[in-house]
Structures are given as structure tokens and as C-alpha cells.
Amino acid sequence: MTSSVDGLVSGLSTSSMITQLMSVEAQPQNRLKAKVTTAQTAVASYQSVNTKAAALKNAGDALSQLSTWRSIKATSSSTSVTASTSSNLNSSTGSLTFNVTALASKQSTTMKVSTTLVDSDNDGKTDNPTPLNVPDSITLTKGTYDSNGVFTGSGTPVSIDISADKSAAGIAKAINAAGAGASAYVMKTGDDEGVLQINSSASGAANGFQIDGLDTAGVNGESPATTYAKDATLEVAGGGGTSYTVNSSTNTFSNLMAGVTLVVSKEENNVTVDVANDNGAIADKFQALVDSANAMLSEIGNQTAYDPSTKKGSPLTGDFAVRDMSQKILSGVSTGLSWKTQKDAGEDVSAKIKSLKELGIELDSTGQLSFDRARFLNTYTTDPARAKEAGMALGDKFEALGDAMTTNLKSVITGRNNEITSLNDQIDNWDVRLKAKREALQKQYSDLEVSLGKLKDQSNWLSGQLAGL
């Protein structure tokens, strides 16, 4: 690289001159950079509008889903029984009365044990827990106990080696490591006594267990005491004064009513759960659609705004296609609905709801949409089937509108990003050209200084010669 000699002979500020010349040379590149900045700002604006369009599409899709119109709400007469609902196309309304006759529980087997420290390794120090009088291994089998306490095994017996440590703590550790469907711990109840407690890993009658080898291992040869695992049980009132029983290994019941989950927390009689259509949830979907449409209108307004006082526009002021999206949304409301549906005997009947005002949707004086929740609920309560057909048609309409908008916006964004890539390639090429130009100018001015230096030397020599004549 050629370096410049800054005015040693000429007295000129060659570096400053080169900088100014390069500033002129770089103007085409600067214009390209300005175009990139403008294009990037536009892309960000298009993306912002596209986000709102996607939200409008999703809101329309949610309103058009059959599951929305089958939303249910469950209420319980008891604070100890919670009822929740989920989206389920098979959901139905109704009422259920039952008694909670049992709660689900785990099996718990306990045994008093000694926790006294002894010198079991004969090292003269009492620092080891008392070993229990047990064999080198115990066996745990999963199964079920009947009402008489008779055990029926359903799992493969698991042998657990406890030979390395036969203290209560050692046995608990071995049971926990075995992964046999039970867990154990030792709870100290006194200075020299504790309780070895073994619990089933899960609640429910089918998750009981039998443990062999600890039969008389407790204090004074005490055998383990067991509280058996139980299912939660509901006694449901049926027709004609009859009833039937429903069991669950947990305190959760999800098979009594379609789309409804019950969780019980105490034994109680005469609990009633009522399930009705959740009109409020449907109204929420309408509100979400209106909110999404308003957000889209506001975003388009912000991105295309023009201030005549300052004569300044926004990134998308000149984009007619984006402005037209607002008109399509407003037109989608003002023109109402028009669709056909299949009725009895295959007869085509024109839709009964034309104006969206019947669904509670109107345009206000500010150019925004408003939603009258009470009006919609009145329409829905009066004729649910009619309101559902209109609502689903409206959802389909705005879903299609939002989909078309996002498709167009994505295409524009892709085109602008390709343009930015092309401009950046040109900018990179200009970097190479400007670098070469700077080096050429530096060499040119350096050579000039050298030439001027030689001329000055010759002038000084001639002056010396003339002075000597």
C-alpha cells in the first residue's frame, strides 16, 4: 500500500484533499446505503403490519371452529369438588349428582424400629445404627388387597439386597434404589426409636404391595402395620332411584361427563355439578376478533400516516396496497354476511343474519369496530343455531381476509429483502473501488511531492552555481 507524504515540499494538506475527493467519490455508495436504510425501515413496517394480519387470521379461525361453539362451563355445588372443562367436540350439557364415598390413597406400611447407635463393626466406637433382625434380602411384590386384607399379586416380585446395611436407614435406602413401586424413609420418634415407613409410589387400589422379610423385624419383634391403598369412589345417582359406582386411582375423574374433569378433596354427599353452554367464552372470541381488526386498522394507520403540517410521511405512506387493507376490513363489516346453509331435506336457505349489528359488531365514528356483548348474547340466547351459523361464517370471512393479507405482505417482505441483499452487494463492490481510488490518490500525491522535491533540489543547485559566477 502506498502511503502519502503530507505536504513536506508543497506545503499542501494532501491528506485533507484526498479525504475531500474520496467524499465526492463515495456519494454513489452513500446513496445506496440510504436506500438500504429506507428499505430496512419499510421491511420492519411491513413485518409489523403482517403480525397484526396474522393475529386477525387466527382470531377468525378461532371463531370459525366448531369447538368454540361447543364451549361449556361447569359449576360445582361443593367447594371440595372442582369442575373444569376442556375443548371437546363431544361435550354435552347436563347435571350430575353424586356422593364422594372415598378418596384415593397410597398404601402405607409402618414398623417401629430402634435407632440406637451400637458398635456393630467392633471398632470400640458406638457409631453404627442398630441392625434389624432380617435376612440378607427382602421381596416386594405389587398387587391389590381385597376388603378382607387378602393380597393378590399382579407384578413380578422384586428381590432387594439389604445385606450391606440392615439398619432401618439402610433398608429404606435399598428400597428407594430398587424402583419397585414403593419408597421408604425413617422418621425418628424418640431418642432410641423411630418408624420405618414404606409407601406405594402411586395411589389407587391396584398400586398396593406386599413386602416379605420384615415380618417380625420391629421393636420387640413387632410386625409391620399396613394401611391399604384405595381408589377414589363416587356413588352417582341414576334414574328411578338407582345408583352406580365409579372408581379412580387418583382423586381426578375425567370419564363421567364428556369434556369435564372433576377433582374431589373430601368425602361428601349430595354434590351436584351442572354443565351449561359457555356463552361468555363464545362472546370472548367475538371480542378477540374485533380487537384484532382494530389493532390491524391502527397499525396500518400508523404506518401509512402523513403529516401535512410537516409534510412528512410514514414508512408505508405511499403504499396503496397496505392502505387498501383497511378498506377491506371495513368493507367486511359494512357489507355484512351472505351465505347459504343446508337445512332439512337438503333445502338451500339464505342466511337469516345479514347485518353484523345483530352479532353486536358495528363501525363507530372513529373508523374502529365496536362489540356490543349484550346484543350478541341476546341474539345467541334467542336462536343459538342461527347465531352459530353467522358467527362461523364471519370467522371464515376474516380468516380468509387475514390469510390473503399475510400472503401478500410476505411476498412484499421477501422482495424487499432481496432488494436489500442486492444493494448490500453493490455497497461491498463500492468498498473495493473506493479503496483502490484512495490508494491511487495517495500514490499520485506522494509522487507529486517527490517530483517537487527533486525540482527544488535542482533549483537550489542552479542558484548555487549562478551565485558562484
Side-chain angles (χ1 to χ4, degrees), residues 25-45:
E25 291 287 338
Q27 286 182 3
Q29 186 190 49
N30 292 335
R31 287 193 290 270
L32 290 174
K33 289 180 179 179
K35 287 183 179 180
V36 168
T37 300
T38 300
Q40 288 174 334
T41 301
V43 165
S45 296

Side-chain angles (χ1 to χ4, degrees), residues 75-83 265-266 268-273:
T75 57
S76 170
S77 65
S78 171
T79 57
S80 66
V81 177
T82 60
S265 59
K266 76 173 185 179
E268 186 176 4
N269 292 334
N270 297 319
V271 178
T272 298
V273 172

